[in-house]
């Protein structure tokens, strides 16, 4: 495992030995002695590698090669007859580790770089070799990730007597570059000087100021406030260096530029302990963020519009931010290119509700967000008489960052013996039994949370309600049809009428209920739905769906739960796991839609493989498979028209023992699935949404689901979620000045 302590590199000198020049430019032959351009005979003055000394020498931190010779550099030579782009191992000198003794090919059975016909050969070096994914138009292609979580954590006692948790950074992100030209007829060594290319922030997060106070930490982000590219795929262009040795390479962001590529994210999660790091007074966290270089005119010390921001997220709390500029004298300068920039942050504090959505790019598509949600949201301890799934009120769930709610209801006929569809309304159910609480009262409670958020300046929050039916509690009704004959509408269809009526009542006074009334499409963004509640209706049968008219304009999305009937899939579906059409405005099956609902939403889980709606093995496999498929979908589709629901809620059941829902079954399943899903997601590195994730006991203080909630929230900051706009630009690697942040932004 590589271990980085500090990074502030000097340039390095790497010698390449010349060789015979009879090789034809395009000749392709196996490697033979004397054919290749050899590297590594008496290399000197190497000071660019990934092991950094503890103490600075002459103002710079010394750099050493890995002792085991595992370091790899990639060298590209467009004039070479063989190889073109070849990777080499670098072996340090035993007595002088900043020097190299040998450079050897990684693939010994293949040809290395060989002299071509041209007299002048140009050599482009890049470290690490693993970051070089190829060449494009003679330029090196590489990538730096969004997520740069430590590979390990070191714990030491600091001078104040607290613990310093130092994140051991992955030094594969410490890009170096080199350029040099050599005439083959000159013989001798080919000298390349390696330079650090990325810019690093060494971020120190200090624990709370008060004695006895502890604060669990979640993540830290570095972001560009004007959307400059800090991560992702890029093309490195050495032309500026060829023309002027004092310049650095420029780069162009490539790949998916229509995504959130303006930030670096670091999880403050210790995988070995299975928990986020908790800070007390005098404790510290130190992590390092590797940034692609920014524009040469960038200067945080002048208060210009090109600025970086450090965003620290305590667990289940409002985020703390610090803009790295010189405003008000709080920073003595800006960020220095190619060097370590130490950012010392003040004591952390918990400052209010978890309004995490308002820290996201508002141009992100809503189908690509990951929403933590509560299973059977209204079935709360202390309120329900039967089995309960939650221990916080709806309002408290919202305050604590939950943004998706499963609400189960039943219809009530208020029209008496001669009723109409307009007389049907929705009441909440608990444990399958109807209560005296209207559905719209719950909607008003969530809407009040949105209003409070806006009053606090957090205007990008929104909520999602998954509306389901307790069909056995739904009233039927009788009415006269167009032939004046009496006709009975069963409870299933009456529930659909009640949805139409209830939403009509709420949208008539929508300042109170905040129902989103615009059509949800694949291009709907956070900005579009901010401050509103999206309603999604799950119905059970074809008859229920077709009961609504094709001309209905109900402000809700509709999809059938259960048997797939109108979308084909490539996997074996079950009644709990399938893809269905997601329609807006009506559930009538004759209406088409390009939105799809990919769901996994069973409740009963068999103990191991005995009984239950889904067996234990199937349930766990479906949970993982859905998230794997979300990655595949993201990588292969740019239409972002798939809405995922992964239901982790429910309970264990077993024939003859806990044969139905039980409190023990709910708690037993929660104790397993919370840590399982958290660990699964903490190991994931691919870009993709998690979709809507429902869980029992959606409470950040719950020892089984608390970390899962924060992990789902963090997923929105960790990956390159796509946005409705993109502005790819070229960036030159240079900065001005340097300094520290002292204090949080207000």
């Amino acid at each position: 495992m590589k271990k980085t302590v500090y990074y502030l590199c000097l340039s390095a000198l790497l010698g390449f030995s010349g060789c015979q020049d009879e090789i034809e430019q395009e000749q392709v032959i196996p490697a033979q002695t004397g054919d290749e351009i050899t590297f590594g005979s008496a290399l000197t003055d190497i000071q660019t590698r990934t092991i950094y000394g503890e103490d600075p020498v002459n103002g710079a931190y010394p750099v050493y090669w890995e002792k085991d010779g595992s370091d790899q550099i990639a060298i590209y030579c467009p004039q070479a007859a063989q190889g073109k782009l070849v990777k080499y191992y670098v072996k340090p000198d035993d007595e002088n580790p900043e020097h190299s003794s040998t450079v050897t090919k990684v693939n010994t059975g293949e040809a290395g770089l060989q002299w071509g016909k041209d007299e002048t050969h140009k050599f482009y070096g890049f470290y690490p070799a693993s970051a070089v994914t190829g060449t494009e138009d003679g330029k090196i292609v590489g990538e730096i990730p969004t997520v740069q979580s430590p590979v390990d954590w070191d714990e030491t006692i600091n001078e104040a007597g607290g613990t310093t948790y130092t994140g051991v950074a992955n030094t594969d992100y410490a890009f170096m570059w080199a350029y040099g030209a050599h005439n083959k007829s000159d013989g001798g060594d080919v000298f390349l000087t390696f330079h650090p290319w990325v810019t690093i922030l060494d971020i120190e997060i200090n624990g709370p100021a008060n004695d006895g106070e502890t604060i669990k930490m979640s993540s830290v982000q570095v972001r560009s406030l004007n959307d400059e590219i800090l991560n992702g795929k890029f093309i490195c262009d050495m032309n500026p260096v060829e023309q002027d040795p004092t310049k650095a390479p420029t780069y162009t962001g490539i790949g998916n530029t229509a995504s959130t590529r303006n930030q670096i994210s670091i999880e403050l999660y210790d995988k070995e302990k299975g928990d986020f790091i908790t800070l007390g007074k005098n404790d510290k966290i130190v992590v390092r963020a590797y940034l692609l270089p920014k524009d040469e005119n960038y200067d945080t010390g002048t208060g210009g519009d090109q600025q970086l921001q450090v965003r620290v997220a305590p667990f289940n709390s409002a985020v703390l931010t610090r803009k790295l500029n010189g405003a008000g004298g709080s920073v003595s300068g800006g960020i220095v290119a190619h060097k370590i920039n130490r950012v010392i942050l003040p004591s952390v504090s918990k400052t209010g509700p978890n309004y995490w959505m308002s820290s996201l790019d508002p141009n992100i598509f809503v189908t690509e967000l990951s929403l933590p949600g509560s299973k059977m949201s209204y079935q709360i301890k202390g309120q329900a008489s039967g089995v309960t799934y939650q221990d916080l009120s709806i309002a408290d769930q919202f305050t604590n960052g939950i943004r998706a709610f499963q609400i189960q209801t039943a219809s009530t006929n208020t029209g008496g013996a001669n009723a109409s569809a307009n007389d049907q309304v929705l009441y909440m159910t608990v444990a399958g039994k109807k209560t005296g609480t209207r559905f719209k009262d719950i909607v008003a409670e969530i809407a009040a949370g949105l209003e409070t958020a806006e009053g606090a300046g957090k205007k990008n929050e929104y909520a999602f309600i998954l509306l389901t039916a307790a069909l056995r509690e739904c009233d039927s009704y009788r009415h006269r049809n167009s032939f004046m004959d009496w006709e009975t509408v069963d409870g299933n269809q009456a529930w659909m009428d009640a949805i139409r009526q209830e939403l009509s009542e709420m949208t008539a006074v929508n300042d109170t209920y905040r129902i989103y009334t615009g059509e949800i499409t694949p291009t709907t963004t956070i900005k579009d739905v901010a401050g509103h509640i999206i309603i999604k209706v799950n119905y059970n049968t074809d008859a229920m769906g077709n009961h609504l008219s094709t001309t209905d304009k109900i402000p809700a999305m509709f999809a059938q739960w259960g048997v797939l009937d109108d979308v084909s899939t490539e996997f074996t579906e079950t009644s709990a796991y399938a893809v269905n059409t997601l329609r807006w405005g009506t559930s009538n099956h004759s209406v088409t839609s390009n939105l799809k609902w990919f769901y996994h939403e069973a409740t009963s889980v068999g103990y191991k493989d005995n009984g239950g709606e889904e067996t234990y093995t199937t349930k766990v496999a479906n949970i993982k498979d859905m998230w794997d498929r979300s990655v595949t979908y993201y990588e292969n589709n740019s239409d972002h028209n798939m809405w995922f629901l992964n239901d982790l809620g429910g309970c264990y059941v077993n024939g003859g023992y806990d044969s139905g829902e039980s409190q023990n079954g709910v708690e037993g399943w929660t104790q397993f699935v919370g840590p399982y899903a958290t660990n699964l997601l903490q190991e994931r590195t691919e870009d993709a949404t998690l979709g809507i994730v429902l869980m029992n006991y959606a409470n950040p203080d719950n020892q089984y689901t608390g970390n899962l909630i924060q992990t789902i929230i963090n997923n929105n900051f960790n990956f390159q979620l796509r946005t409705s706009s993109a502005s790819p630009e070229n960036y030159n690697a240079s900065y001005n000045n340097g300094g520290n942040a002292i204090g949080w932004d207000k």
Side-chain angles (χ1 to χ4, degrees):
M1 180 178 294
K2 296 179 180 178
K3 181 176 178 181
T4 302
V5 180
Y6 292 107
Y7 175 76
L8 184 58
C9 291
L10 301 175
S11 63
L13 185 64
L14 181 59
F16 295 73
S17 296
C19 65
Q20 64 187 44
D21 57 4
E22 288 82 5
I23 304 301
E24 294 294 323
Q25 183 176 11
E26 300 302 328
Q27 187 176 6
V28 178
I29 58 174
Q32 299 178 12
T33 302
D35 289 341
E36 298 180 7
I37 306 172
T38 58
F39 309 96
S41 58
L43 304 181
T44 60
D45 202 23
I46 304 295
Q47 289 186 332
T48 56
R49 245 321 288 132
T50 62
I51 301 300
Y52 303 103
E54 298 283 355
D55 301 312
V57 177
N58 297 325
Y61 288 89
V63 189
Y64 308 103
W65 300 97
E66 291 281 3
K67 292 182 180 180
D68 61 3
S70 61
D71 287 329
Q72 295 183 29
I73 57 175
I75 302 176
Y76 173 63
C77 179
Q79 293 79 29
Q82 178 91 340
K84 304 294 186 182
L85 179 68
V86 180
K87 297 178 180 180
Y88 294 88
Y89 285 121
V90 179
K91 175 69 174 175
D93 184 88
D94 290 338
E95 296 182 358
N96 200 354
E98 72 267 25
H99 296 176
S100 175
S101 59
T102 58
V103 175
T104 58
K105 291 180 300 183
V106 172
N107 297 314
T108 56
E110 299 177 3
L113 293 177
Q114 300 179 359
W115 294 113
K117 287 183 176 181
D118 293 345
E119 178 68 19
T120 301
H121 284 55
K122 297 178 180 180
F123 297 90
Y124 307 87
F126 213 76
Y127 170 83
S130 60
V132 179
T133 59
T135 62
E136 185 170 314
D137 297 328
K139 301 170 185 176
I140 289 176
V141 176
E143 183 173 8
I144 193 167
T146 306
V147 182
Q148 298 179 10
S149 299
V151 297
D152 200 1
W153 290 94
D154 282 344
E155 297 183 20
T156 57
I157 303 301
N158 56 45
E159 295 179 354
T163 300
T164 297
Y165 302 88
T166 301
V168 179
N170 186 338
T171 54
D172 285 348
Y173 314 146
F175 294 163
M176 317 273 184
W177 64 273
Y179 169 76
H182 187 80
N183 290 334
K184 63 182 180 180
S185 60
D186 291 343
D189 293 338
V190 177
F191 290 99
L192 291 178
T193 301
F194 271 70
H195 306 273
W197 192 48
V198 295
T199 298
I200 295 178
L201 297 188
D202 186 276
I203 303 169
E204 180 181 303
I205 305 167
N206 285 277
N210 300 324
D211 289 330
E213 184 179 6
T214 59
I215 297 179
K216 197 174 185 178
M217 304 304 297
S218 165
S219 63
V220 59
Q221 283 85 38
V222 178
R223 61 172 54 182
S224 165
L225 295 181
N226 65 325
D227 293 329
E228 293 185 81
I229 293 177
L230 301 182
N231 67 68
K233 293 182 179 179
F234 61 87
I235 297 177
C236 182
D237 186 357
M238 300 285 188
N239 283 323
V241 182
E242 296 179 34
Q243 299 167 6
D244 184 351
T246 66
K247 297 289 186 181
T250 59
Y251 71 92
T252 303
I254 59 173
N256 187 10
T257 54
S259 58
T260 51
R261 293 180 58 175
N262 66 326
Q263 67 182 21
I264 303 298
S265 186
I266 300 171
E267 289 271 301
L268 305 179
Y269 187 85
D270 188 332
K271 293 181 181 178
E272 184 176 339
K273 297 179 179 178
D275 203 356
F276 291 94
I277 293 174
T278 297
L279 294 180
K281 184 179 181 180
N282 297 326
D283 292 341
K284 303 175 185 292
I285 294 175
V286 178
V287 291
R288 291 164 190 87
Y290 296 80
L291 284 61
L292 284 172
K294 295 169 69 67
D295 188 89
E296 63 180 340
N297 297 318
Y298 184 88
D299 182 3
T300 60
T302 62
D305 62 355
Q306 301 185 59
Q307 298 166 350
L308 292 177
Q309 180 192 69
V310 177
R311 174 190 180 277
V312 176
F315 190 90
N316 188 39
S317 174
V319 299
L320 305 167
T321 61
R322 179 63 226 178
K323 188 162 57 176
L324 302 184
N325 62 15
S330 62
V331 182
S332 59
I335 302 302
V336 183
H338 322 309
K339 299 180 184 293
I340 186 170
N341 294 265
R342 198 171 185 208
V343 178
I344 302 174
L345 298 171
S347 296
V348 295
S349 60
K350 298 194 73 168
T351 58
N354 192 359
Y355 294 137
W356 58 271
M357 282 183 169
S358 294
S359 294
L360 292 170
D361 186 333
N363 294 308
I364 293 173
F365 299 112
V366 295
T367 58
E368 303 211 326
L369 283 179
S370 302
L371 303 186
S374 55
K375 173 79 171 181
M376 300 295 188
S377 306
Y378 191 65
Q379 206 157 317
I380 303 166
K381 279 186 178 179
Q383 174 180 322
S385 58
V387 174
T388 60
Y389 283 85
Q390 301 301 327
D391 55 3
L392 294 179
S393 69
I394 296 287
D396 286 342
Q397 290 176 37
F398 183 89
T399 299
N400 285 282
I402 300 302
R403 290 296 178 269
F405 304 87
Q406 182 194 4
I407 303 297
Q408 192 172 59
T409 62
S411 61
T412 294
N413 174 31
T414 64
N418 187 13
S420 71
N422 295 335
D423 296 318
Q424 313 311 307
V425 296
L426 291 176
Y427 279 86
M428 301 296 298
T429 62
V430 170
K433 300 299 181 181
K434 193 182 299 183
T435 70
T437 302
R438 286 281 295 271
F439 170 62
K440 66 179 184 179
D441 296 335
I442 301 301
V443 175
E445 192 171 353
I446 298 172
L450 292 170
E451 183 176 8
T452 301
E454 289 179 350
K458 308 300 182 181
K459 298 183 179 180
N460 283 335
E461 305 297 316
Y462 73 91
F464 179 98
I465 291 178
L466 177 65
L467 185 54
T468 60
L471 293 177
R472 293 180 181 178
E473 290 289 295
C474 291
D475 292 348
S476 61
Y477 67 93
R478 297 179 72 233
H479 74 126
R480 291 189 180 275
N481 60 26
S482 58
F483 299 101
M484 297 306 293
D485 294 327
W486 285 101
E487 184 176 75
T488 298
V489 177
D490 66 28
N492 293 12
Q493 294 176 328
W495 186 72
M496 304 297 285
D497 289 327
I499 289 168
R500 182 200 294 112
Q501 180 60 26
E502 192 92 355
L503 289 176
S504 176
E505 287 185 24
M506 287 189 283
T507 54
V509 283
N510 213 19
D511 287 347
T512 299
Y513 299 102
R514 294 175 171 256
I515 302 295
Y516 182 70
T517 58
E519 181 176 356
I520 298 289
T521 71
T523 60
T524 301
T525 65
I526 294 175
K527 182 168 54 179
D528 297 326
V529 301
H532 293 87
I533 299 170
I534 299 172
I535 305 292
K536 191 271 173 181
V537 178
N538 268 20
Y539 59 94
N540 296 57
T541 66
D542 292 354
M544 291 175 70
N546 291 324
H547 182 68
L548 296 182
S549 167
T550 59
T551 58
D552 276 325
K553 299 298 180 183
I554 302 169
M557 298 184 292
F558 293 83
Q560 183 165 328
W561 190 95
V563 178
L564 180 73
D565 66 342
D566 53 5
V567 177
S568 62
T569 59
E570 297 178 357
F571 59 94
T572 302
E573 61 188 278
T574 69
S575 62
Y577 186 48
V579 180
N580 275 340
T581 294
L582 184 57
R583 298 176 175 86
W584 174 263
T586 183
S587 56
N588 193 290
H589 290 186
S590 63
V591 174
T592 60
S593 171
N594 58 358
L595 276 176
K596 302 294 184 289
W597 181 250
F598 190 166
Y599 65 85
H600 171 232
E601 44 188 354
T603 296
S604 300
V605 183
Y607 279 107
K608 296 306 178 183
D609 291 329
N610 297 321
E613 191 170 314
E614 281 188 292
T615 67
Y616 168 91
T617 300
T618 303
K619 176 82 172 181
V620 172
N622 284 347
I623 289 171
K624 183 178 185 301
D625 186 62
M626 171 161 284
W627 284 331
D628 288 344
R629 289 181 182 273
S630 73
V631 172
T632 302
Y633 175 80
Y634 184 93
E635 291 175 346
N636 297 310
N637 296 275
S638 59
D639 48 10
H640 35 81
N641 68 347
M642 187 75 77
W643 210 316
F644 294 88
L645 170 73
N646 210 343
D647 187 348
L648 310 186
C651 71
Y652 280 129
V653 299
N654 195 29
Y657 176 73
D658 290 343
S659 57
E661 289 181 307
S662 69
Q663 205 61 53
N664 286 338
V666 171
E667 293 174 2
W669 172 249
T670 306
Q671 291 168 16
F672 162 75
V673 77
Y676 166 77
T678 301
N679 293 334
L680 192 66
L681 296 177
Q682 284 291 339
E683 294 293 333
R684 194 169 91 153
T685 59
E686 300 91 348
D687 286 351
T689 177
L690 302 178
I692 298 159
V693 184
L694 302 180
M695 68 192 77
N696 304 336
Y697 303 126
N699 181 345
D701 294 328
N702 185 281
Q703 62 178 317
Y704 304 109
T705 57
N707 286 345
L708 176 59
I709 293 170
Q710 194 64 57
T711 298
I712 294 166
I713 290 172
N714 288 354
N715 190 76
N716 297 292
F717 301 95
N718 287 352
F719 301 115
Q720 297 175 13
L721 298 182
R722 288 172 288 208
T723 65
S724 60
S725 62
S727 55
E729 301 176 21
N730 294 334
Y731 300 92
N732 187 277
S734 109
Y735 289 78
N736 294 316
N737 303 322
N740 297 334
I742 311 172
W744 298 112
D745 293 331
K746 302 298 184 182

